Amino acid sequence: MNTCNECEHLTLSMELMADHIKNIAQRLDKESIKKTIEYIMDADSIFIMGAGRSGLVGKAFAMRLMHLGFKSYVVGESTTPAVHKNDVVIAISGSGETRSVSDLGRIAKDIGATLITVTSNRDSTLGHISDATLEIHGRSKEDAGGYLERHMRGEYSHLTPLGTSFEISSLVFLDALVAELIFITGASEADLKSRHTKLE
Amino acid sequence: MNTCNECEHLTLSMELMADHIKNIAQRLDKESIKKTIEYIMDADSIFIMGAGRSGLVGKAFAMRLMHLGFKSYVVGESTTPAVHKNDVVIAISGSGETRSVSDLGRIAKDIGATLITVTSNRDSTLGHISDATLEIHGRSKEDAGGYLERHMRGEYSHLTPLGTSFEISSLVFLDALVAELIFITGASEADLKSRHTKLE
Amino acid sequence: MNTCNECEHLTLSMELMADHIKNIAQRLDKESIKKTIEYIMDADSIFIMGAGRSGLVGKAFAMRLMHLGFKSYVVGESTTPAVHKNDVVIAISGSGETRSVSDLGRIAKDIGATLITVTSNRDSTLGHISDATLEIHGRSKEDAGGYLERHMRGEYSHLTPLGTSFEISSLVFLDALVAELIFITGASEADLKSRHTKLE
Amino acid sequence: MNTCNECEHLTLSMELMADHIKNIAQRLDKESIKKTIEYIMDADSIFIMGAGRSGLVGKAFAMRLMHLGFKSYVVGESTTPAVHKNDVVIAISGSGETRSVSDLGRIAKDIGATLITVTSNRDSTLGHISDATLEIHGRSKEDAGGYLERHMRGEYSHLTPLGTSFEISSLVFLDALVAELIFITGASEADLKSRHTKLE
C-alpha cells in the first residue's frame, strides 16, 4: 500500500521530539551558556563549523548571528577569512569526536582563538579541548518512558534514526540562544530585516 | 553585563518551540501527507529546493532520503542532474512566495514532474501550483497564549525572529516524515548506517 | 579498450584552450576593465554571483578578493549580508541570460548598487542593465582555424562541450584581474598568506 | 589613480597562463592518464574532493562527469553516499599535503576504493598513497623565462599569487580529460544537454 493510514509514526515522532526539547530546556547548564554569551559578545569574529547535518545547523546559526549584526562565518565557505586570536570558533558535533571538526578545533586553539563546542557528549575530544562546552542531552532511557512512547514500544527504534534528535535539538537550542542575544543586544525585528539578504 | 543571568529567554524560547511543535502535530493534514508519501515512493528521483534557512532544512531532509535508499538531490548542488517527468520536486518556503523557488517550481511543472510544497501559507504561488501542499501552521494568536508566554508578554516579539519557527517546525516535520518512511520501507538502523557517508 | 592511446584529444584540447586565452587577452576592452577596477576599489562590499560552473568561477574570484583584503561575498552563501547602495555586484554568465542571475541583477540595480557582468554576450539582458560589461569572447570560426584544429576537424565538436571555454577563460581573466589589483593595491604575497584560511 | 592604464599586468598574466598551459600539455604523463581513464570507465561511482579553490575545480569536474552520464559526487555535498570498494575517489591538491584531503584519501584506501590524485607534487602524502597520480607541473624557473616575462621581471611575483596557476591548470587539464572521455564514450553534445540541469 506504500503510504500511511493514520500516519501515527509521524505524529508520535513530532510529539516525542517536543517532549525531548522540553526536557533539554530544563537540564541546561546555565554557567556554560553565560560564558558562551560573553565570548560571543567580546569576539572580533565568530566562526561556525560542523560536518553533515550538524554543519547545516551551524550554517543556520551563523546566518542568524549575521542578521544580529555579528561578524560570523562558516568554516569552508568561499570568503571565510583566517581565524585570529580574538575570534570565537564554535564546533557542532553530537559525538564530540567528528575527526575533521576536532582537527580544526585543535588548530583554532593553537591560533589562540576561543573554542566552544555544542555536543551531546561532554566527555569527548572536542569537549576536553573547549573553553566552553554546551551539552545537549541525548535521548536516554529515562526521558524516553512517556505514555505515548510506551504505547508504541516495539517501533521505538524507528523514530530517531542516526542521531536526528541531536541536530534538531541543537538547532532549537541555538535559535533560543539567538533569542537571548536579541534581548541582550536590544536588536529589533527591523534591525534584523535590514540585514536579511535581498538576493536569494 | 552582556550575558544572561537565568537565561530565561533562552529557556522560554525552547519551551514555546516545543509547544508549537505539539500544536502542529495535532493539526496535520493527513490526506496531503498520504499523497506525498505515495509520490515519494513512486518517484524515480526526488529533488529538494529552498532558499536561505529553508534551503538548509531541505538539505537535511535530502540527506535522510539518501540514507533511506532514495535517489535524492538538492537543487543547486554540483552533480544534481536534470529533472524528468517521473521525478518529484519538493519546495520548502514559509511564505510560499520565494521568487527563485516558485520560478523553479513552475519549471518543474512544465517538465511534467510532481511538485510538493512545504509551507506555512497554502494560499500562495507555490501552494496553488503544487500537486500536494504540506501546511506547517505558523504561530498564531490562539496558540501563543499559554501561561509562560503571557508571563513574558512584553518580550514576546524577541522570541521568534524572522520566521525561525517555520524552519524548525518544517525540519521536525520532515524528520518525522522520514520516521514514517522508515516504517513503510522497513529500513533498519543498519541499512541507514551503511549508506552514511564515511568521508566527512 | 576504453582508454586513450596517445590521448591526443586531451593534449589538443589544452592547446586550443591556451590559444583561445591568448586570443582573448588581445581583444580585451580596456575601458570596461578600468571602470571595473575603479568600482571595485571604491566599493563598500563586493558580491559575486553565477549559476552552475560560472558560480564556481565566481567563488574562486570572491576568495581571491578576500585574500586581497576586500570585503567580498558570494550570493547564496550562509553569512552573505544584504546588498546596499555603495556595493558592487558582479554577475558571471556566459549567455548573459541566466534567469536567476539576471533577476538578481535587476534587484541589485533597484537597490542602487553597481552591477558588473562578465559574459560572452554583451548584447544580453545582463549586458544591457550593467554599469560595466566585461566581454570574454567565445570561440568563433575565425580563431578556431589553427593548424592543430584543422588537423582534427571531424571531432572538433567534442572539444568544447557546453561552453566549458567560457568558464575557463573567465576564471583566467578574473585571476589576471586579481594580478592587476595586487599591483594597484601593493599587496604582497605575505599579506595574502596572512588572510588565507587556516581552517580547511 | 586606483586603476590600470594599459592594464598590462592583466594581459601579461593571461599570456603567461596560456604559455604555462601549453607547457603542461607537452609534459603530461600519458601512462597515468591512461590508467585514470580505465579506472573512471570501470568505476561504480566517482567521488571528487579538494579544499578551497581546488575544491571548486573538483566540483566543476564532477559536474561534467555527471553530464557525461557517470555517477559522480562531490565529497561533502548533501546527498553524497558512502564510498565503496568499486568506487574511484579523485583528490585535487596542489601540494598533495592538504590535511583534510589526505585524511580522506587514507580512508578511501582503507575502504578498498581506488584513489587518484591531481597534484603539482607527486612526491607527497597523497602522491604516495594513490593508485594513479596526475602531475600538473607548476611554474618553474625554466618555463618562466619567456620574452614577456623577462620584460616584466621585477613584478613577476605579483602574477601568480598563492598557487593560482595550479587551480587553473588543473581545471584546464580536467576539462581536457572530459574531452577525451567524450571521444571514448561517444557522447554527443545532445546527450550532454539532456543531462544538464534545468533547475538553476
Side-chain angles (χ1 to χ4, degrees):
Chain A
M1 46 124 232
N2 275 352
T3 189
C4 51
N5 191 18
E6 283 309 306
C7 308
E8 61 274 9
H9 296 89
L10 193 160
T11 313
L12 180 58
S13 185
M14 291 184 78
E15 287 171 346
L16 290 175
M17 196 67 229
D19 285 342
H20 182 47
I21 290 168
K22 289 212 166 183
N23 205 293
I24 291 168
Q26 278 149 29
R27 296 175 64 188
L28 294 170
D29 171 3
K30 299 278 165 66
E31 291 315 307
S32 298
I33 293 170
K34 285 152 90 166
K35 265 170 70 180
T36 294
I37 289 178
E38 280 167 19
Y39 287 138
I40 288 177
M41 297 296 294
D42 292 347
D44 281 353
S45 293
I46 301 155
F47 293 76
I48 319 284
M49 59 186 185
R53 284 171 49 116
S54 292
L56 298 174
V57 169
K59 286 182 175 181
F61 179 51
M63 235 182 255
R64 276 292 176 265
L65 289 178
M66 177 271 287
H67 290 151
L68 268 169
F70 291 96
K71 280 204 276 181
S72 66
Y73 300 99
V74 173
V75 172
E77 292 203 334
S78 306
T79 59
T80 299
V83 170
H84 294 100
K85 220 169 118 58
N86 297 323
D87 296 332
V88 164
V89 177
I90 303 180
I92 304 175
S93 167
S95 67
E97 301 291 350
T98 318
R99 169 78 177 267
S100 56
V101 179
S102 64
D103 281 355
L104 296 178
R106 224 171 257 121
I107 296 171
K109 289 299 300 169
D110 288 348
I111 291 169
T114 301
L115 180 65
I116 297 169
T117 295
V118 181
T119 182
S120 280
N121 186 12
R122 172 186 295 280
D123 190 22
S124 59
T125 303
L126 275 161
H128 293 155
I129 64 172
S130 293
D131 298 282
T133 303
L134 298 163
E135 198 168 10
I136 305 292
H137 289 283
R139 304 197 70 232
S140 61
K141 295 234 170 52
E142 298 86 70
D143 72 283
Y147 169 75
L148 277 164
E149 189 155 351
R150 266 178 278 126
H151 193 67
M152 295 288 299
R153 208 170 307 174
E155 288 124 20
Y156 168 62
S157 65
H158 292 303
L159 298 173
T160 50
L162 287 173
T164 286
S165 106
F166 169 74
E167 293 129 25
I168 291 179
S169 39
S170 58
L171 178 58
V172 173
F173 168 76
L174 290 169
D175 268 11
L177 186 63
V178 167
E180 195 70 59
L181 286 167
I182 289 174
F183 180 75
I184 291 167
T185 60
S188 69
E189 187 89 359
D191 293 334
L192 301 183
K193 281 212 173 110
S194 79
R195 287 189 207 96
H196 210 267
T197 183
K198 276 147 198 106
L199 297 189
E200 72 180 20
Chain B
M1 47 126 233
N2 274 353
T3 188
C4 52
N5 191 18
E6 283 309 306
C7 310
E8 61 275 9
H9 296 89
L10 193 160
T11 314
L12 179 58
S13 185
M14 292 185 76
E15 286 171 347
L16 290 176
M17 195 68 229
D19 285 343
H20 182 47
I21 291 167
K22 288 214 167 182
N23 205 293
I24 290 168
Q26 278 149 29
R27 296 174 65 188
L28 294 171
D29 171 3
K30 300 277 166 64
E31 291 314 308
S32 298
I33 293 169
K34 284 152 90 166
K35 264 168 70 178
T36 294
I37 290 177
E38 280 168 19
Y39 287 138
I40 288 175
M41 298 295 295
D42 292 347
D44 281 354
S45 294
I46 301 155
F47 293 77
I48 319 284
M49 61 185 185
R53 285 171 48 116
S54 292
L56 298 173
V57 168
K59 286 181 176 181
F61 179 51
M63 236 181 255
R64 276 291 176 266
L65 289 179
M66 176 271 288
H67 291 151
L68 267 169
F70 292 96
K71 280 205 276 180
S72 67
Y73 301 98
V74 173
V75 171
E77 293 204 333
S78 305
T79 58
T80 299
V83 170
H84 294 100
K85 220 169 117 57
N86 296 323
D87 296 332
V88 164
V89 177
I90 302 181
I92 304 176
S93 167
S95 66
E97 301 291 351
T98 316
R99 169 79 176 264
S100 56
V101 179
S102 63
D103 280 355
L104 296 178
R106 223 170 258 121
I107 296 171
K109 288 300 301 172
D110 287 348
I111 291 169
T114 300
L115 180 65
I116 297 170
T117 296
V118 181
T119 182
S120 279
N121 187 11
R122 171 186 294 282
D123 190 20
S124 59
T125 303
L126 275 161
H128 292 156
I129 63 172
S130 293
D131 298 284
T133 303
L134 298 164
E135 198 168 9
I136 305 293
H137 289 282
R139 303 196 70 233
S140 62
K141 295 234 171 52
E142 299 86 68
D143 71 283
Y147 168 76
L148 276 164
E149 188 154 351
R150 266 179 279 126
H151 193 66
M152 296 288 300
R153 208 170 308 173
E155 289 125 18
Y156 168 60
S157 63
H158 293 304
L159 299 171
T160 50
L162 289 172
T164 287
S165 107
F166 169 73
E167 292 128 26
I168 292 179
S169 38
S170 59
L171 178 58
V172 173
F173 168 75
L174 290 168
D175 268 10
L177 186 63
V178 166
E180 194 71 59
L181 286 167
I182 289 175
F183 181 75
I184 290 168
T185 60
S188 69
E189 188 90 357
D191 292 333
L192 301 184
K193 280 213 175 108
S194 79
R195 287 188 206 95
H196 210 267
T197 183
K198 274 147 200 106
L199 297 188
E200 71 180 18
Chain C
M1 48 127 233
N2 274 352
T3 190
C4 50
N5 192 17
E6 283 309 305
C7 308
E8 62 273 9
H9 297 89
L10 194 160
T11 313
L12 178 60
S13 186
M14 292 184 76
E15 286 171 349
L16 290 175
M17 196 65 231
D19 285 342
H20 182 47
I21 290 168
K22 289 215 166 181
N23 205 293
I24 290 169
Q26 279 150 27
R27 295 174 64 188
L28 294 171
D29 170 3
K30 300 277 165 65
E31 291 314 309
S32 298
I33 293 170
K34 284 152 91 166
K35 267 168 69 178
T36 294
I37 289 178
E38 279 167 19
Y39 286 137
I40 288 176
M41 297 296 294
D42 292 346
D44 281 354
S45 293
I46 300 154
F47 294 77
I48 319 284
M49 59 186 185
R53 284 170 50 116
S54 292
L56 298 173
V57 168
K59 286 181 175 182
F61 179 52
M63 234 181 256
R64 276 292 176 263
L65 289 179
M66 178 271 288
H67 291 151
L68 266 170
F70 292 95
K71 280 205 276 180
S72 67
Y73 300 99
V74 173
V75 172
E77 293 204 334
S78 305
T79 59
T80 298
V83 170
H84 294 100
K85 220 171 119 53
N86 296 323
D87 296 332
V88 164
V89 177
I90 302 180
I92 304 175
S93 168
S95 66
E97 301 290 349
T98 318
R99 170 78 177 266
S100 57
V101 179
S102 63
D103 281 355
L104 296 178
R106 225 172 255 119
I107 295 171
K109 288 300 300 171
D110 287 348
I111 290 168
T114 300
L115 180 64
I116 298 169
T117 295
V118 181
T119 182
S120 280
N121 186 12
R122 172 186 293 281
D123 189 22
S124 59
T125 303
L126 275 161
H128 292 155
I129 64 173
S130 293
D131 297 284
T133 302
L134 298 163
E135 199 167 10
I136 305 292
H137 290 284
R139 304 196 71 235
S140 60
K141 296 234 171 52
E142 299 86 68
D143 71 282
Y147 168 75
L148 278 164
E149 191 156 349
R150 266 178 280 127
H151 192 67
M152 297 287 299
R153 206 173 308 173
E155 288 125 20
Y156 168 61
S157 64
H158 292 303
L159 299 172
T160 50
L162 288 171
T164 286
S165 104
F166 170 73
E167 293 128 27
I168 291 178
S169 39
S170 58
L171 178 58
V172 172
F173 169 75
L174 290 168
D175 268 11
L177 186 63
V178 166
E180 194 71 59
L181 286 167
I182 289 174
F183 179 75
I184 291 168
T185 61
S188 69
E189 188 90 357
D191 294 332
L192 301 184
K193 277 209 176 113
S194 79
R195 288 189 206 95
H196 209 266
T197 186
K198 276 147 198 104
L199 298 188
E200 70 180 21
Chain D
M1 46 124 232
N2 275 352
T3 189
C4 51
N5 191 18
E6 283 308 307
C7 308
E8 62 273 10
H9 297 89
L10 194 160
T11 313
L12 178 59
S13 185
M14 292 184 75
E15 286 171 349
L16 290 174
M17 195 66 231
D19 285 343
H20 182 47
I21 291 168
K22 289 215 166 180
N23 205 293
I24 291 168
Q26 278 150 29
R27 296 174 64 188
L28 294 170
D29 171 4
K30 300 276 165 66
E31 289 314 309
S32 298
I33 293 170
K34 284 152 92 165
K35 264 168 72 180
T36 295
I37 290 177
E38 278 168 20
Y39 286 137
I40 288 177
M41 298 295 296
D42 290 347
D44 281 354
S45 293
I46 300 155
F47 294 76
I48 320 285
M49 60 186 186
R53 285 171 46 117
S54 293
L56 298 173
V57 168
K59 286 181 175 181
F61 179 52
M63 234 182 258
R64 276 292 175 264
L65 289 179
M66 178 271 289
H67 291 151
L68 266 171
F70 291 96
K71 280 206 276 180
S72 67
Y73 300 99
V74 172
V75 172
E77 293 204 334
S78 305
T79 58
T80 299
V83 170
H84 294 99
K85 223 169 115 56
N86 296 322
D87 296 331
V88 164
V89 177
I90 303 180
I92 304 176
S93 168
S95 66
E97 300 291 350
T98 317
R99 170 79 177 267
S100 57
V101 179
S102 63
D103 281 356
L104 296 178
R106 224 171 256 118
I107 296 171
K109 288 299 301 170
D110 287 349
I111 291 169
T114 300
L115 180 64
I116 297 168
T117 295
V118 181
T119 182
S120 279
N121 186 12
R122 172 187 294 281
D123 189 22
S124 59
T125 304
L126 275 161
H128 292 155
I129 63 173
S130 293
D131 298 283
T133 303
L134 298 163
E135 198 168 12
I136 305 292
H137 288 284
R139 304 196 72 233
S140 61
K141 295 234 171 52
E142 299 86 69
D143 71 283
Y147 169 75
L148 276 165
E149 190 155 350
R150 267 178 279 126
H151 192 67
M152 296 287 299
R153 207 172 307 173
E155 289 125 17
Y156 168 60
S157 65
H158 293 303
L159 298 172
T160 51
L162 288 170
T164 287
S165 104
F166 170 73
E167 293 127 27
I168 291 179
S169 38
S170 59
L171 178 58
V172 172
F173 169 74
L174 290 168
D175 269 11
L177 186 63
V178 166
E180 194 71 60
L181 285 166
I182 289 174
F183 180 75
I184 291 167
T185 60
S188 68
E189 187 89 357
D191 293 333
L192 301 183
K193 279 212 175 110
S194 79
R195 288 189 207 95
H196 210 266
T197 185
K198 275 145 198 107
L199 297 187
E200 71 179 21

